[in-house]
Amino acid sequence: MGKKPTLILGIESSCDETAAAILKDGKILANKVAGQAVHTAYGGVVPELASRAHQSHIVPVVSEALKEAGIEPGELDAIAYTRGPGLMGSLLVGSSFAKSLSLALGIPLIPVNHMHGHIASHFIENDLAFPFLCLTVSGGHTQIVRVDSFTEMQVLGETTDDAAGEAFDKAAKILGLPYPGGPEVDKLAESGNENAFSFSHPRVPGLDYSFSGLKTSFLYFVRKLSAHEVQERRHDICASYRKAIIDVLMEKLIRATEETGIKNVGIAGGVAANKGLRRRMEAERMARGWKVSIPAFQYCTDNAAMIAMAGYYLYREGKTGSQEEAAKARYEL
Ligand code: KG4
Ligand code: ZN
């Protein structure tokens, strides 16, 4: 008789996506995400509305994941959930649900750091050897992480102010594009000239980042143009701004590979869905002889498969949690 497979339910609710996934021995059986259109009218995520939407989505999303995976709740071995970082009200919905279900089923809980989850997106269908460097770029974080195993990692550098995703989203807002702006800027940039305009690059020591200056210079740049000029040149403006962000991200990532001697490199997080950044990673791979891992689009933006995957490896190492652990809005990796 073979060993019984390990079935993990993953739950993600850190921001404005309610997500559930089921893994069987580290392979995805189901991966469900419910977005929250309610924020579009406000041009950004409204925390109170996000919590309420999670509250109404969580039960149907988990039920759908179980149904798609074709398993009964009683077959689950453990529940992995996002403990933080994120919006407190949103985290409380996912963590309370996970805790109740774990009590009801009598199975362990696995608290997962959301940033660890993003890194675990590389374990879904890529096989980058350890150690590797991960540039995690999301709406709230920008980090260069040295990853030594499925569960051991260390932050080498991070943003001192805004995240790369925020830099995209704020520029989109200045241009009057709908929220979330990152994908909109990326779309316009695809048919623009990235050398049309230049934006000054920040100077930050070591492997840290800063994006607030870039965002401000974008604001002043756009203010100097007439509404007509902005409309006419929006493709070139987006392409040039996207290039500036990518240049900043890559400069430190390249430095990190040189300082550590590690040439296995991945990108993760929502901004890793950016077409320009994905192409640049491919170009650097060719130029520098890197081994590169770029997760599929659906595993870059927030999802529960990555949380379940991080949880699966923690579970294998016996790193489970308890009912006492509280959700954490700020949670260091
Ligand atoms: O990882 P994620 O889904 O949520 C957080 O953990 O924050 O990242 C969301 C961020 C947003 O800032 C969004 O605009 C950005 O990722 N994003 C993009 C693209 N797709 C999502 N930014 C640039 N280009 C994209 N294609
Ligand atoms: Zn995220």
Side-chain angles (χ1 to χ4, degrees):
M1 271 262 294
K3 206 176 137 281
K4 183 194 164 299
T6 304
L7 286 164
I8 308 272
L9 165 66
I11 293 172
E12 155 62 31
S13 73
S14 64
C15 189
D16 61 344
E17 259 101 21
T18 319
I22 313 276
L23 294 193
K24 178 182 182 179
D25 282 340
K27 294 270 171 287
I28 299 174
L29 296 185
N31 185 31
K32 294 281 172 197
V33 183
Q36 302 184 352
V38 62
H39 308 291
T40 313
Y42 300 91
V45 176
V46 183
E48 172 69 21
L49 297 180
S51 316
R52 294 185 199 195
H54 283 303
Q55 190 79 269
S56 58
H57 291 162
I58 190 96
V59 171
V61 167
V62 171
S63 304
E64 277 172 32
L66 286 164
K67 195 168 152 207
E68 186 171 307
I71 67 159
E72 295 295 323
E75 294 177 75
L76 291 169
D77 291 287
I79 303 167
Y81 71 96
T82 303
R83 184 180 177 198
L87 300 172
M88 186 45 100
S90 295
L91 292 166
L92 283 172
V93 176
S95 61
S96 302
F97 180 89
K99 287 178 181 189
S100 319
L101 192 59
S102 119
L103 269 182
L105 298 173
I107 57 174
L109 276 173
I110 315 163
V112 174
N113 184 306
H114 182 79
M115 304 314 290
H116 179 177
H118 275 303
I119 288 168
S121 64
H122 295 294
F123 310 147
I124 297 175
E125 43 188 37
N126 305 271
D127 54 351
L128 210 49
F130 299 115
F132 67 82
L133 298 179
C134 183
L135 171 68
T136 317
V137 271
S138 70
H141 291 76
T142 302
Q143 299 179 325
I144 296 177
V145 182
R146 180 195 160 108
V147 186
D148 285 293
S149 77
F150 291 113
T151 59
E152 293 162 303
M153 47 209 70
Q154 185 196 351
V155 178
L156 303 182
E158 60 191 325
T159 185
T160 52
D161 42 53
D162 291 352
E166 267 173 292
F168 273 110
D169 293 339
K170 285 180 181 166
K173 203 164 190 174
I174 291 166
L175 293 176
L177 300 170
Y179 182 87
E184 299 292 327
V185 172
D186 194 22
K187 220 183 290 167
L188 289 171
E190 283 296 287
S191 49
N193 171 9
E194 63 177 20
N195 297 312
F197 308 106
S198 69
F199 296 96
S200 61
H201 288 191
R203 294 195 194 289
V204 186
L207 296 176
D208 285 339
Y209 288 108
S210 166
F211 286 100
S212 67
L214 195 58
K215 174 195 69 191
T216 310
S217 74
F218 184 82
L219 175 67
Y220 289 137
F221 169 81
V222 172
R223 270 191 192 161
K224 278 199 234 126
L225 302 177
S226 68
H228 178 72
E229 284 168 320
V230 172
Q231 179 63 16
E232 284 268 275
R233 305 294 306 269
R234 64 193 194 286
H235 295 269
D236 291 345
I237 294 170
C238 287
S240 304
Y241 185 67
R242 178 177 75 172
K243 178 178 187 297
I245 293 177
I246 296 171
D247 284 347
V248 171
L249 289 172
M250 294 313 289
E251 184 196 323
K252 293 297 174 82
L253 185 59
I254 290 166
R255 190 192 288 191
T257 63
E258 289 167 352
E259 287 181 6
T260 59
I262 298 172
K263 289 188 154 203
N264 294 342
V265 191
I267 52 173
V271 181
N274 187 273
K275 293 199 181 71
L277 178 59
R278 295 166 84 90
R279 274 198 299 272
R280 180 74 74 86
M281 282 296 286
E282 188 50 29
E284 298 294 348
R285 180 185 73 76
M286 310 256 275
R288 297 171 192 277
W290 288 355
K291 277 209 157 48
V292 161
S293 168
I294 302 175
F297 286 107
Q298 71 268 31
Y299 304 129
C300 290
T301 45
D302 286 349
N303 65 89
M306 68 183 197
I307 301 301
M309 189 60 79
Y312 170 64
Y313 287 106
L314 290 166
Y315 179 74
R316 288 209 322 187
E317 295 181 15
K319 293 177 176 157
T320 54
S322 72
Q323 291 283 332
E324 278 73 51
E325 275 131 10
K328 291 182 82 147
R330 298 173 75 85
Y331 190 14
E332 300 293 318
L333 186 62

